[in-house]
Amino acid sequence: MTDAAQVSSRQQIVVDEVFPHTPEVIWRALTTGEIMARWLMEPKGFEPVVGNRFTYQTRPAGAWDGAIHCEVLEVVEHTRFSYAWRGGDEANQGYGSKLDTVVTWTLEPVAEGTRIRLVHSGFELPKNEVAFRNMGDGWKVVVPRLEATIRDTG
């Protein structure tokens, strides 16, 4: 019998919001590097093209240099945008542990504007427990910041 503490499970973070903007306006904020830098982090080398690789830089920890390596996986204009989100190091425990996840944004027109659904999937628990907890809290701050940025940039 396997010890329950050693069993790995995959988890995802989901944030679902309705913004009073068209999908086109939201799409621009999700796929324009200069605007992304205002509500998330500055992407280096970003282009919304499948296969494009880009990075974000965050706080380093242990053997991890803080680089988040991303690759655009799917681009369906005004509807769906997905990219790999990888970072960390095998040698790290807790913050900075090896992470191989996917961020997917889905936009759906609704009467009030657009429903935005963010799914950040692939967290391997218990190994990614700290990232799952921190990013779960973080996305709940970042998504409203996206809405504020859209209001400011029109």
Side-chain angles (χ1 to χ4, degrees):
M1 197 152 152
T2 306
D3 179 28
Q6 294 179 358
V7 174
S8 176
S9 72
R10 295 272 178 182
Q11 296 294 319
Q12 63 184 17
I13 297 163
V14 178
V15 180
D16 199 283
E17 299 278 342
V18 174
F19 289 175
H21 308 286
T22 65
E24 292 79 10
V25 168
I26 296 167
W27 183 261
R28 181 174 168 264
L30 289 176
T31 61
T32 304
E34 298 80 29
I35 300 173
M36 291 167 71
R38 294 180 64 181
W39 61 269
L40 183 56
M41 290 179 275
E42 181 181 355
K44 301 284 188 189
F46 175 77
E47 289 184 54
V49 175
V50 172
N52 181 71
R53 295 175 187 266
F54 65 100
T55 59
Y56 291 116
Q57 184 65 45
T58 191
R59 183 172 50 95
W64 178 45
D65 63 2
I68 300 164
H69 300 276
C70 301
E71 178 181 353
V72 177
L73 303 173
E74 182 180 23
V75 178
V76 180
E77 194 170 16
H78 307 141
T79 304
R80 192 170 162 92
F81 179 51
S82 180
Y83 50 92
W85 180 290
R86 299 178 183 112
D89 191 277
E90 291 291 350
N92 284 6
Q93 298 290 320
Y95 181 80
S97 65
K98 188 76 171 167
L99 189 66
D100 188 357
T101 59
V102 174
V103 174
T104 302
W105 297 90
T106 305
L107 307 179
E108 175 190 357
V110 294
E112 305 88 349
T114 302
R115 175 176 304 283
I116 296 176
R117 181 173 170 87
L118 161 74
V119 178
H120 192 160
S121 60
F123 291 91
E124 190 177 329
L125 301 186
K127 178 175 86 171
N128 300 138
E129 182 69 39
V130 171
F132 180 68
R133 186 175 56 249
N134 290 349
M135 295 176 93
D137 292 342
W139 282 121
K140 291 174 188 157
V141 171
V142 168
V143 172
R145 202 163 53 210
L146 166 64
E147 205 279 329
T149 301
I150 291 168
R151 277 195 323 266
D152 293 346
T153 59

